[in-house]
Amino acid sequence: MLRLGLCCVFKEHPVKFRKTTAKYLAQFPDEERKKRLSGLCANNAKSLLKALEFCRENKIGSFRINSQILPLKTHPEMGYDISELPDSDEIVNDFKSCGAFSQKYDIRTTFHPDQFVILSSPNPDVIRKSIQDLDYQAQVAEWVNADVINIHAGGVYGDKPSAVLRLMKTIDTLAEPVRKRLTLENDDRSYSPIDLLPVCAKLEIPMVYDVHHHRCLQDNLSVEEVTIESMKTWDREPLFHISSPKDGWGSSNPRKHHDYININDFPKEWLALDITVEVEAKAKELAIKKLMQDIKSL
DNA sequence: AGCGGTCAAGTTGAT
DNA sequence: ATCAACTTGACCGCT
């Protein structure tokens, strides 16, 4: 079965994830900061369960968890350990409830750390902070039973072979909770599937195939070929990404995402596969609903 | 109640 | 040299 995935937030369904800013928190004494952060984390854990319930009710098979589910978790000044929060027990229990729920109803959960997590950087401090962030997301992934932490390969720095070497070396140092979930996704600027497939094969890391990115940054491989080759990198259900260009393929910037998925952008050969396809469309759950209908009426 | 300005982080490429 | 884009809104603080 094909499983569609919702990314992070809702367009209409009233479930919200809360966050704060370091600047705002800075005005409060430490105890008050922890109290506020605790409240946000507790809210987000409960919101995650509601999000998963929505997925079950609407036959959405997968949910991507926002990187800020624990706000400012690894911030240099405002960062914290979960045990420092007044409601830490309740928070962890609520996340574990999410894990039990997703297992019971087979809702897959994933993480997609944002663009600041870069394992190919020549700057050791960037690497250090990236690993810190991955460790944090792996901690939550353990609670909620998420099986994917998906990142991009990062920058090129004028020398792609060297950047790829650094990427591979860094991945080798990762802790097991991160390593066993880590996946690499082709991006729309620097790393196409043909760059990543050998890396994924060598490190035995799955490749998340984003067909929209591939169409923006092409190599000499076809969609059919990359579909087959990336499938081979998975030891579990493969995860792919789909989106459509906001202003069409002829526009000056086709990288921008549309509110919905144009069914013509959905690779037909994916329809028969047992895969998860995360839907990167701004209309969120509405876009998934429409895509489900469009697929059905093919 | 509504709205504008702001928000941790890195890298690239368009202007 | 600056800035938007990247998975994207939510938040505060002003009116």
Side-chain angles (χ1 to χ4, degrees), chain A residues 1 3 12 18 33 39 61 74 90 100 108 112 116 120 132 145 150 167 172 175 181 191 194 203 219 250 281 285:
Chain A
M1 275 292 283
R3 185 199 290 259
E12 286 187 350
R18 303 190 55 207
R33 286 178 196 168
T74 62
E90 178 196 334
R108 191 181 199 183
H112 193 4
F116 310 109
S120 60
Q132 203 184 356
N145 286 312
N150 177 41
L167 171 69
D172 261 340
R181 296 179 170 89
Y191 291 91
I194 207 162
L203 299 178
D219 47 26
E285 76 275 20

Side-chain angles (χ1 to χ4, degrees), chain A residues 1 5 8 13 25 54 114 140-141 143 153 182 194 208 218 222 260:
Chain A
M1 275 292 283
C8 305
H13 183 61
L25 269 192
F54 177 90
D114 55 32
V140 184
W143 297 331
L182 195 76
I194 207 162
V208 171
Q218 299 185 8
S222 66
Y260 292 89

